[in-house]
Amino acid sequence: TALKILGGKLKPNLGRFDDPPDWQQILQHFRGSELQMYFQRILEDRLKATIKPQYVDHIPKQVKGQVGDIISKKDERNAGPELLKALDLSHLVEREVRDLSGGELQRFAIAVCAVLEANVYMFDEPSSYLDVKQRLKAGRVIRDLIRSDNYIIVVEHDLSVLDYLSDFVCALWGAPGAYGVVTMPFSVREGINIFLDGFIPTENLRFREVSLSFKVSQEGDDLTAGERLHKITYPALKKTMGTAFVLNV
């Protein structure tokens, strides 16, 4: 929803469900902030926004053709061949979109978004379906889009990818289908820690009752190597294959 609003495809209602505001009231609400100028430029078509969708498995239902042909038709930055190589898509240029796997669809969607000439690039969960190596490559492609006069917005749940990609982090919280709140931008370290802790110190607000921690258990530090190896006991096991093989463990 937030990306649709920033892309100009959805108008924010400012919490007024019964009487949604018009754009003039929305601009007045954000007066003095960067959002006022942003929405003003979106309305005047002085900003072009492109969004990489979240559900890449829906792409084959909407897009037909071969990977290479589609990238060539969309390529407004003359970066198609470079992006195909960077995202490991070079060997798939003649493959039909309907035949792509989940990870291939994800990389294809990132490439289609990245070849466009835009002022605002939005990537919704670009790391899903990708392994660690492919996530790093996708992250490099997204980072390479940065210019002094554009915006790059990424919605991501993988904290390591988020740490690699981001200059600033906003945490989002709320209730699905009801409301959503976006925090002010924080540094990457502070933003990730706020998300893990579930508490926003600048607003004195807790949006999650339980903090998320990744502490390593120290319970077995005093055990010897032999005790650690044999700490768990297993019941007797018998495996039979046909009549000639029997294994007792």
Side-chain angles (χ1 to χ4, degrees), residues 16-79:
R16 292 162 50 181
F17 308 103
D18 299 329
D19 181 27
D22 56 28
W23 275 112
Q24 191 60 40
Q25 293 172 313
I26 293 169
L27 294 175
Q28 181 73 15
H29 177 81
F30 291 112
R31 184 177 59 179
S33 69
E34 189 171 350
L35 278 174
Q36 180 191 12
M37 289 300 301
Y38 179 89
F39 284 130
Q40 188 78 47
R41 293 171 67 188
I42 284 284
L43 291 173
E44 295 172 355
D45 290 328
R46 290 191 289 131
L47 278 182
K48 178 183 176 183
T50 178
I51 302 176
K52 197 287 295 178
Q54 175 184 3
Y55 301 109
V56 295
D57 52 317
H58 294 173
I59 291 177
K61 301 175 183 177
Q62 303 168 347
V63 179
K64 309 295 181 184
Q66 294 183 341
V67 171
D69 292 340
I70 295 170
I71 295 293
S72 298
K73 291 176 183 176
K74 295 282 187 179
D75 192 2
E76 299 174 353
R77 301 196 303 119
N78 296 320

Side-chain angles (χ1 to χ4, degrees), residues 110 123 125-128 130-140 142-143 154-169 188 192:
I110 293 171
F123 297 88
E125 298 190 29
S127 68
S128 61
L130 302 183
D131 60 31
V132 174
K133 185 178 180 181
Q134 291 172 343
R135 290 183 183 197
L136 288 173
K137 290 183 177 182
R140 292 191 194 102
I142 294 171
R143 291 286 302 184
V154 178
V155 176
E156 185 54 71
H157 296 97
D158 186 320
L159 299 184
S160 58
V161 172
L162 195 67
D163 186 28
Y164 176 74
L165 278 176
S166 306
D167 293 321
F168 299 96
V169 171
V188 177
I192 290 177

Side-chain angles (χ1 to χ4, degrees), residues 48-242:
K48 178 183 176 183
T50 178
I51 302 176
K52 197 287 295 178
Q54 175 184 3
Y55 301 109
V56 295
D57 52 317
H58 294 173
I59 291 177
K61 301 175 183 177
Q62 303 168 347
V63 179
K64 309 295 181 184
Q66 294 183 341
V67 171
D69 292 340
I70 295 170
I71 295 293
S72 298
K73 291 176 183 176
K74 295 282 187 179
D75 192 2
E76 299 174 353
R77 301 196 303 119
N78 296 320
E82 179 185 342
L83 287 170
L84 287 171
K85 183 178 179 181
L87 291 167
D88 292 336
L89 291 170
S90 299
H91 64 292
L92 300 174
V93 290
E94 296 183 356
R95 186 168 299 181
E96 293 287 331
V97 172
R98 65 173 181 269
D99 297 327
L100 296 178
S101 66
E104 292 165 350
L105 280 171
Q106 184 68 267
R107 300 190 325 264
F108 168 72
I110 293 171
V112 169
C113 186
V115 295
L116 297 172
E117 187 66 54
N119 307 105
V120 186
Y121 293 92
M122 306 184 197
F123 297 88
D124 198 347
E125 298 190 29
S127 68
S128 61
Y129 294 101
L130 302 183
D131 60 31
V132 174
K133 185 178 180 181
Q134 291 172 343
R135 290 183 183 197
L136 288 173
K137 290 183 177 182
R140 292 191 194 102
V141 167
I142 294 171
R143 291 286 302 184
D144 287 344
L145 293 171
I146 296 175
R147 302 193 306 265
S148 60
D149 60 344
N150 69 359
Y151 301 87
I152 313 290
I153 302 169
V154 178
V155 176
E156 185 54 71
H157 296 97
D158 186 320
L159 299 184
S160 58
V161 172
L162 195 67
D163 186 28
Y164 176 74
L165 278 176
S166 306
D167 293 321
F168 299 96
V169 171
C170 295
L172 283 78
W173 59 278
Y179 69 94
V181 180
V182 184
T183 68
M184 295 296 289
F186 295 99
S187 67
V188 177
R189 178 181 177 183
E190 190 176 9
I192 290 177
N193 285 334
I194 284 173
F195 169 76
L196 292 174
D197 192 33
F199 178 74
I200 307 171
T202 54
E203 302 178 25
N204 194 28
L205 186 148
R206 177 166 291 281
F207 58 86
R208 192 191 320 111
E209 294 184 4
V210 180
S211 297
L212 305 178
S213 62
F214 301 97
K215 294 180 180 178
V216 179
S217 174
Q218 300 179 2
E219 180 183 345
D221 286 356
D222 298 331
L223 299 177
T224 65
E227 289 173 330
R228 282 198 296 270
L229 287 173
H230 300 93
K231 188 176 180 181
I232 299 175
T233 58
Y234 297 92
L237 174 67
K238 181 178 181 180
K239 182 67 176 177
T240 303
M241 296 184 68

